[in-house]
Amino acid sequence: MKTVSGLRNLKRVVMVRHGESTWNLENRFTGWQNVNLSKKGVEESLDAGRRLKEQGFKFDVCFTSVLKRAINCFNYIAEEMDIHHIPVHKSYRLNERQYGGLELSLIHISEPTRPLYISYAVFCLKKKKKKKK
């Protein structure tokens, strides 16, 4: 098991976003629409499983939404890591946001701007760390 600074009993939570869905490919809002992973999404999920295994991660349990793209993503990761035996807890509370009528829209505004928000969040976290020192 991977350790952080030699602390063996430290628990970790690993969050994985599902791979590209068929509606992501079409640049559509997905929300609670129960769509499949695209071919690229399947490859991304398998790659995530390989990388987690290479890094030595071991999992005791999985929590996922009830959406098939998330469940299938876990299944591909589990296949790569040989962890189909772990308990899987599914809850609608882990579903993506409900966008209502926008879920049928062909224009997906949030995807292209997501890197800006992620970059901003990382920048803010780094800045806060520096202030604490």
Side-chain angles (χ1 to χ4, degrees):
M1 171 179 251
K2 288 198 78 122
T3 62
V4 176
S5 302
L7 301 174
R8 281 206 176 326
N9 295 326
L10 185 66
K11 301 295 181 189
R12 290 186 174 188
V13 174
V14 176
M15 294 186 189
V16 177
R17 184 181 187 272
H18 63 76
E20 180 186 72
S21 73
T22 55
W23 275 26
N24 293 147
L25 183 62
E26 296 170 8
N27 204 27
R28 297 171 73 176
F29 281 105
T30 354
W32 280 26
Q33 298 298 315
N34 207 8
V35 298
N36 286 315
L37 293 171
S38 67
K39 288 180 183 178
K40 179 181 176 185
V42 170
E43 286 304 315
E44 290 170 335
S45 301
L46 291 167
D47 186 52
R50 282 190 290 273
R51 288 174 183 235
L52 289 165
K53 185 176 183 176
E54 286 170 5
Q55 292 294 316
F57 283 91
K58 307 263 189 241
F59 297 105
D60 301 317
V61 65
C62 171
F63 296 91
T64 185
S65 75
V66 297
L67 299 171
K68 62 184 169 185
R69 60 187 175 270
I71 296 166
N72 290 339
C73 182
F74 165 73
N75 288 334
Y76 289 118
I77 290 171
E79 184 66 32
E80 287 296 316
M81 297 186 72
D82 194 27
I83 56 169
H84 281 289
H85 62 282
I86 68 171
V88 178
H89 302 278
K90 300 172 189 139
S91 173
Y92 74 91
R93 291 178 179 93
L94 295 172
N95 284 8
E96 291 187 32
R97 286 187 177 178
Q98 169 65 278
Y99 291 109
L102 288 176
E103 290 180 7
L104 303 177
S105 169
L106 289 175
I107 301 170
H108 192 306
I109 298 168
S110 66
E111 275 304 317
T113 59
R114 183 171 290 157
L116 295 174
Y117 292 119
I118 291 171
S119 297
Y120 181 75
V122 170
F123 175 74
C124 287
L125 290 173
K126 286 180 182 175
K127 219 164 164 71
K128 285 181 183 178
K129 275 187 173 181
K130 287 180 182 177
K131 286 182 181 179
K132 287 182 181 180
K133 288 183 178 181

